[in-house]
Amino acid sequence: MAGERLAQGLKNLADDKVDHRFKALPPDADGRTVGDLAAERRNLFTGGFTTPVLALSAESVEHNLALMETYATRHGLAFAPHGKTCMAPQLFARQLEYGAWGITAAVPHQARVYRDYGIQRIFLANEVVDAAALRWLAGELDADPDFRFICYVDSLRGIELMDTALRAAEASRPVDVVIELGAGEGARTGVRSEAECLELADAIAGVDTLRLVGVAGYEGEVPQADHDRVTAWLRRLVRLAVEFDTSGRFADLDEIVVSAGGSAWFDAVSEVFAEIPELSAPVLKLLRSGAYVSHDDGHYRRLTPFNRVPEEGALQPAFRLWAQVVSRPTPEQAFVNAGKRDAAYDLDLPRAQVVRSGRDGTLRPAAGVTVTKLSDQHAWLDTEHAGDLEVGDWVGLGLSHPCTSFDKWQLIPLVEEDGTVVDFIRTFF
């Protein structure tokens, strides 16, 4: 049933009509379905696409999917990639095909999108205290006995709100929860001390609308994170799971959940999770890294654990934003027609990588070309030489931070190395 829902949902995406809602698509494609346009296998540069246009490398996405499946399998980890990165059901489907246990969410809206596309396992890495969302969740759990949902708790008030809303919704199944251990003083969410965790566990045991199934957290928020600090916090998380199990708090579970893992420290997670001793039930060691699917040319290229363990492989940046030179007011300055509305800029500015001649389509490195500033619809470029760029040239930009790249585009061409567009990735933000 779930597989059928996902397949039907993807078919519905392909049957959607191309129109003005979607940036950069060829104007002469209006009225065609997305699937029909993909089947035409147009070239990104000569097939009528307008600039700016964001392209996602088909080869790099496939490489990244396969690499993380191999990594998780090698280290005995289950994998629930964070779907908030891309919010793209087509990519969720590919992640599941590559062995993902389920998909992680951050907020109830994302979980609703997942369910509409038949995702059967959702880990929501947040405390859910919205009564309307909990009413919806109770309905989903009641209607589908195979649906698995897990979320955080980190406060007594949160437990009270969840219990009240779920009782009002007459929920027939308890919601599985994990206690979130905070990453340290001054970090983001989560319980600050083990004593408070025990207090929460007692409170959960006192209600029948919730079921404690494990512990979790996010090591990316460890203050002044380095290998020693991150592994020390992860060992705290493991000790908490062991203490809960020893005291009988996981009695009658078929599976105990221990979860962590962003995109910067999953090597430390795999190292420490390998140390988890045998508990009263099998342990689901759940990794949640999400940025890997597209990787990037900035923030995650610098932070990826594969820099520390190169023998495990390397992720490939999959995004390239193509913009066109629309002004060349001085020999040292040029402007392209992509700005804050099109490119991620919260962590790093885009990087000029390659230039495609507006005269003959030849490619050359973007040597001497630097992005110095973004306006809403323009990128400011400095050039070292008068001949580096001319009006009409296309500039390929590498981006930093996948989460704020995907969310600016509703329909993203999936492009092979030779420029052939083979599909279009729909996002839901």
Side-chain angles (χ1 to χ4, degrees):
M1 177 67 75
E4 293 174 4
R5 283 176 63 187
L6 181 55
Q8 183 60 51
L10 298 184
K11 181 181 183 302
N12 292 343
L13 293 181
D15 289 341
D16 201 2
K17 298 287 187 179
V18 172
D19 59 26
H20 63 275
R21 291 172 296 164
F22 306 122
K23 296 192 291 187
L25 298 194
D28 67 358
D30 277 9
R32 290 177 173 81
T33 68
V34 172
D36 286 342
L37 180 58
E40 293 179 11
R41 295 177 64 86
R42 296 195 187 195
N43 186 276
L44 185 73
F45 306 107
T46 61
F49 291 86
T50 64
T51 56
V53 57
L54 182 66
L56 191 62
S57 164
E59 293 88 354
S60 293
V61 166
E62 202 73 13
H63 168 87
N64 294 343
L65 290 168
L67 179 62
M68 284 304 291
E69 179 187 35
T70 298
Y71 184 88
T73 300
R74 180 183 296 128
H75 293 280
L77 301 170
F79 191 30
H82 211 317
K84 58 99 176 174
T85 297
C86 63
M87 286 305 295
Q90 292 147 289
L91 294 181
F92 299 161
R94 299 296 287 139
Q95 289 170 319
L96 294 170
E97 288 172 17
Y98 275 91
W101 172 90
I103 306 293
T104 295
V107 292
H109 157 72
Q110 293 166 0
R112 288 187 60 200
V113 173
Y114 300 0
R115 287 300 288 160
D116 279 352
Y117 285 87
I119 303 301
Q120 285 295 93
R121 291 172 176 164
I122 298 174
F123 185 101
L124 199 152
N126 228 329
E127 188 168 60
V128 182
V129 296
D130 184 307
L134 289 163
R135 185 166 55 249
W136 167 83
L137 174 61
E140 289 292 307
L141 289 167
D142 290 350
D144 185 354
D146 295 323
F147 172 39
R148 181 84 193 275
F149 177 89
I150 304 170
C151 72
Y152 283 175
V153 294
D154 81 344
S155 66
L156 290 173
R157 175 60 173 157
I159 292 169
E160 177 188 357
L161 289 169
M162 293 180 77
D163 178 54
T164 299
L166 291 168
R167 282 191 289 105
E170 300 182 344
S172 64
R173 290 173 59 192
V175 171
D176 286 348
V177 296
V178 290
I179 291 176
E180 181 193 6
L181 178 66
E185 292 302 322
R188 199 167 61 188
T189 56
V191 182
R192 292 311 196 241
S193 73
E194 281 76 359
E196 292 173 279
C197 289
L198 293 171
E199 187 180 14
L200 293 189
D202 288 340
I204 293 165
V207 300
D208 58 11
T209 54
L210 304 177
R211 183 176 71 150
L212 180 63
V213 298
V215 296
Y218 175 48
E219 76 293 337
E221 281 291 312
V222 170
Q224 299 176 306
D226 60 20
H227 181 268
D228 289 344
R229 291 186 177 93
V230 168
T231 54
W233 177 82
L234 287 163
R235 290 192 173 104
R236 282 183 62 198
L237 185 70
V238 169
R239 285 195 298 272
L240 183 64
V242 171
E243 182 176 355
F244 278 0
D245 190 52
T246 302
S247 61
R249 297 179 188 276
F250 295 145
D252 302 322
L253 290 183
D254 295 329
E255 184 177 70
I256 297 166
V257 178
V258 181
S259 180
S263 295
W265 291 103
F266 55 74
D267 57 334
V269 173
S270 66
E271 174 188 333
V272 174
F273 280 13
E275 303 170 358
I276 296 176
E278 185 174 343
L279 301 181
S280 63
V283 178
L284 183 74
K285 304 172 183 178
L286 194 60
L287 183 69
R288 306 192 309 270
S289 313
Y292 81 100
V293 69
S294 67
H295 198 44
D296 73 6
D297 279 296
H299 182 71
Y300 286 105
R301 171 171 266 181
R302 294 190 297 270
L303 294 185
T304 176
F306 288 116
N307 291 338
R308 296 185 290 269
V309 287
E311 67 277 8
E312 299 258 23
L315 294 168
Q316 297 177 0
F319 273 134
R320 180 164 284 170
L321 176 63
W322 288 97
Q324 200 164 20
V325 179
V326 293
S327 180
R328 192 74 163 96
T330 73
E332 297 81 25
Q333 195 174 37
F335 292 86
V336 294
N337 60 348
K340 293 179 181 178
R341 303 292 177 90
D342 313 296
Y345 60 93
D346 55 319
L347 297 179
D348 299 286
L349 288 173
R351 300 180 180 187
Q353 295 178 321
V354 64
V355 177
R356 187 177 190 276
S357 170
R359 295 181 183 271
D360 59 18
T362 56
L363 295 174
R364 63 183 187 273
V369 180
T370 305
V371 179
T372 60
K373 180 180 175 181
L374 292 183
S375 300
D376 281 353
Q377 307 287 182
H378 293 89
W380 299 53
L381 274 55
D382 281 358
T383 58
E384 293 182 3
H385 308 289
D388 288 339
L389 292 173
E390 68 173 344
V391 170
D393 286 345
W394 289 38
V395 180
L397 303 171
L399 303 179
S400 180
H401 199 184
C403 301
T404 51
S405 298
F406 276 105
D407 70 357
K408 293 173 175 57
W409 295 81
Q410 292 187 62
L411 203 60
I412 303 171
L414 187 67
V415 184
E416 292 182 340
E417 187 174 5
D418 66 358
T420 302
V421 177
V422 295
D423 204 354
F424 295 88
I425 303 300
R426 182 69 186 269
T427 66
F428 292 88
F429 286 95

